[in-house]
Amino acid sequence: MTLTITTPQTPTEADEQAILAVLVAHNTKMAGPSGYRPVAVLLTDEAGATVGGLWGRISYDWMFVEYLALPGEHRSQGLGTKLMDEAEGIARSAGCVGVWLDTYEFQALGFYRKRGFEVFGTIEDHPVGQRRYFLQKRLIPNEGA
């Protein structure tokens, strides 16, 4: 079989799924099923429209919080804390070891640190002049510590 490398101008969802299928097959072979499941904790208005919330996923015994977003006029009212409390409850119920996420320097680093998250990685100049932080919070104590 001859393989070639191509770079599509507009990658498709099918392209992504084809690559992901190869990765999932390898990961499952090496580490077993991931237990992947999406997680959503929605913030809705009185009409039932989603105006913000938390989106993430559980995989290999950790929850990854991909997005946490609140409308500007509703920040600093405890809603972010309530969303994170709900997500951490879901993670605990699922038997997760911990929760991890990333945030930019101009976003919510202080908020996550107050919640017990610790920085485990940083990218400088992402965006230029700023930092991107990777944080984790263990829900189950590390037995080797």
Side-chain angles (χ1 to χ4, degrees):
M1 172 191 321
T2 302
L3 301 177
T4 59
I5 295 175
T6 60
T7 305
Q9 289 295 326
T10 309
T12 66
E13 188 173 329
D15 296 330
E16 178 185 16
Q17 291 305 311
I19 295 165
L20 181 59
V22 175
L23 182 61
V24 168
H26 174 75
N27 290 354
T28 301
K29 179 180 175 186
M30 300 305 292
S34 70
Y36 172 86
R37 102 176 214 220
V39 174
V41 182
L42 307 177
L43 183 61
T44 56
D45 66 14
E46 57 278 349
T50 300
V51 297
L54 179 148
W55 182 265
R57 62 185 169 269
I58 294 173
S59 179
Y60 288 118
D61 306 312
W62 279 77
M63 177 184 284
F64 171 60
V65 175
E66 189 169 4
Y67 312 123
L68 175 62
L70 299 170
E73 66 272 18
H74 295 290
R75 292 184 181 160
S76 299
Q77 297 176 13
L79 292 170
T81 296
K82 289 178 182 177
L83 291 168
M84 287 298 296
D85 285 347
E86 182 70 18
E88 288 181 26
I90 292 167
R92 280 189 177 88
S93 293
C96 288
V97 173
V99 178
W100 71 284
L101 52 84
D102 63 89
T103 190
Y104 291 103
E105 185 170 28
F106 56 84
Q107 288 179 326
L109 180 62
F111 169 77
Y112 294 119
R113 282 186 162 157
K114 285 179 191 173
R115 293 197 53 78
F117 282 81
E118 297 176 348
V119 173
F120 69 86
T122 306
I123 300 175
E124 299 289 335
D125 288 324
H126 184 46
V128 173
Q130 303 275 343
R131 292 179 187 91
R132 186 171 184 176
Y133 294 96
F134 295 82
L135 299 102
Q136 68 175 341
K137 179 179 180 179
R138 291 189 69 89
L139 302 176
I140 298 173
N142 186 350
E143 306 215 354

